[in-house]
Amino acid sequence: MRQSLAHADALYNFARWLARDPVEAEDLVQETYMRELGAAHQFDPGSNLKAWLFRILRNAFIDRRRRSQREGSPPSVEDLDADGERAEPAMGELQLDQIRALVAEDVSAAVHALPESFRTVILLDLEGMTEAEVANVLGCATGTVKSRLSRARAVLRDRLAAYRQYAEEGSR
Amino acid sequence: MDCGKARELSLDGLRQRLPSELAAELREHLSGCAPCSNHAEAERVLSEVLDASLPQYAAPLALKRRLAASWPASTPAAAPPRGIGRPAWASAMAMAAAVTLVVVGSTAFFVQQRSELRQLESETVNDHLRMLGGAPLAQVTGGLHEVKPWFGGKLDFAPAVRFAGNDDFPLQGGAVEPFLDRRAAVFVYKRRLHTASLFVVQDNGLAFPTSLRTRTVRGFSVALWKEGDQGYALVSDLNLRELLDLQAEIASP
């Protein structure tokens, strides 16, 4: 499946956001392609190659995190139950304006600060995947993706508004 | 439709993924429900911010070269019939070289295209700052009908701009300014105290995107798009939502 190499940029971008480290991101992409080659016989040619590759990459990332935990690293914020986060009430126009004024640095920080499960659905959604495709990557039901995406976006909006408010207070 | 359902569908509605009947129901609910309308607006703003400001990382060329070099020479579908092909090692090398060319070539194209877009965005902001610095504007007491003929003889193309301004975005005037290696027709619109500049150029050799692309550059909202053989660059210190309102007016047929 030589065409899978055409997804290298998208996979690397996803890996960068998951791992937060360029070296680990490269390792993850390489591992993804190695795993793909090893499991090529399991791929159904009629199914979605991109979603399959993203699923392999995410599984590789989770395996690495589990290994590092077994080796004694403390659990990170990634491991906390993201379902505990609750959406905030609807925003006012002022908060929306605050979010519009954010710069790339703030947006990056807010996305990085999300739990892994939330970050993943946000990134896959930005990749243009449908909820069914995201469900394929995560190995869960479409309804789960819908509710997780909704909660992830609510948490992100809340954090982005908080960043802007903090920046404005700091500049006074 | 109740509020719970409306909020559940608002993101799909934003992405135009709803069947027309459901989309109409959603629109009807939003038009009469301020909290849900506010929620939908919040979803739209978040999407805009993520699209415009979340960095995208391209895989390093070295990684792509490594991937291509380590890729198997052939797959069953691509393997030549037995007995008439080249030796296996030759096929392997040819395949690796071909994959390297494809991957490295596509990466180079991707990187170059991205870099050219950045150059266009940066040039747009620079030129807008020059306009704000006091470049002379053509008189436009008669609106677009006075501005467009004014360009005659100053440009080697006729800028395809139909939006003559309205109460929200009155047209202030026109100018001819350098834009990279060519001359641009500039249309200046106002929004309250904000100024928005629209640069129109012949796009040959420039990387104007075929679909609308927006980004925030040095605090300015920038929109780039292409129509026919002309490239459009719209820039202002307006927020992205208001800039998009103006862009919609300009691009409206």
Side-chain angles (χ1 to χ4, degrees), chain A:
Chain A
M1 280 171 286
R2 199 176 60 176
Q3 64 269 35
S4 63
L5 287 174
H7 298 295
D9 283 318
L11 287 169
Y12 179 78
N13 183 57
F14 185 48
R16 275 292 296 265
W17 284 104
L18 281 183
R20 303 167 170 151
D21 176 71
V23 176
E24 189 180 356
E26 285 197 34
D27 289 348
L28 278 169
V29 174
Q30 289 203 120
E31 191 175 340
T32 299
Y33 282 113
M34 280 173 57
R35 288 188 182 199
E36 183 212 358
L37 287 172
H41 60 284
Q42 295 172 11
F43 179 71
D44 172 6
S47 60
N48 187 322
L49 175 62
K50 186 177 178 182
W52 189 54
L53 290 168
F54 272 73
R55 182 173 188 161
I56 293 174
L57 191 146
R58 182 166 181 265
N59 288 342
F61 171 74
I62 290 171
D63 289 348
R64 280 167 171 253
R65 284 294 177 272
R66 284 183 182 144
R67 273 201 303 274
S68 67
Q69 276 173 38
R70 278 200 299 272
E71 287 160 10
S73 304
S76 68
V77 69
E78 314 262 355
D79 307 309
L80 301 176
D81 178 13
D83 291 345
E85 304 237 26
R86 287 288 171 260
E88 290 298 303
M91 293 187 157
E93 191 56 31
L94 174 64
Q95 284 167 301
L96 291 181
D97 279 340
Q98 287 172 335
I99 290 178
R100 286 186 193 106
L102 285 165
V103 295
E105 203 176 310
D106 300 320
V107 180
S108 299
V111 171
H112 272 310
L114 289 173
E116 185 273 326
S117 59
F118 279 10
R119 201 159 68 237
T120 296
V121 289
I122 291 281
L123 292 166
L124 296 177
D125 180 54
L126 280 174
E127 268 298 321
M129 288 190 187
T130 63
E131 283 161 359
E133 287 169 332
V134 176
N136 187 356
V137 173
L138 302 182
C140 66
T142 307
T144 307
V145 172
K146 188 180 261 303
S147 64
R148 193 177 291 174
L149 180 61
S150 169
R151 278 183 284 116
R153 288 176 66 92
V155 170
L156 194 53
R157 278 197 303 272
D158 184 40
R159 289 191 177 168
L160 288 172
Y163 278 140
R164 188 62 196 173
Q165 197 172 4
Y166 178 76
E168 285 178 356
E169 285 169 3
S171 65
R172 279 179 202 146

Side-chain angles (χ1 to χ4, degrees), chain B residues 118-205:
Chain B
R118 294 281 183 272
Q119 187 187 19
L120 281 180
E121 290 161 353
S122 180
E123 175 71 12
T124 302
V125 172
N126 290 343
D127 291 355
H128 177 61
L129 290 172
R130 198 163 55 231
M131 293 300 299
L132 294 177
L137 291 180
Q139 294 299 310
V140 289
T141 47
L144 199 59
H145 295 299
E146 283 190 10
V147 177
K148 289 180 80 169
W150 180 83
F151 288 118
K154 298 180 176 70
L155 293 167
D156 56 358
F157 68 101
V161 172
R162 298 168 294 274
F163 182 53
N166 57 22
D167 289 346
D168 290 332
F169 299 102
L171 179 64
Q172 295 295 291
V176 172
E177 286 289 308
F179 187 93
L180 294 172
D181 60 347
R182 60 200 71 194
R183 287 154 77 83
V186 190
F187 296 80
V188 178
Y189 298 91
K190 285 294 243 193
R191 170 72 165 163
R192 299 185 300 272
L193 297 176
H194 303 274
T195 300
S197 303
L198 171 68
F199 298 88
V200 185
V201 294
Q202 285 191 292
D203 85 321
N204 51 310

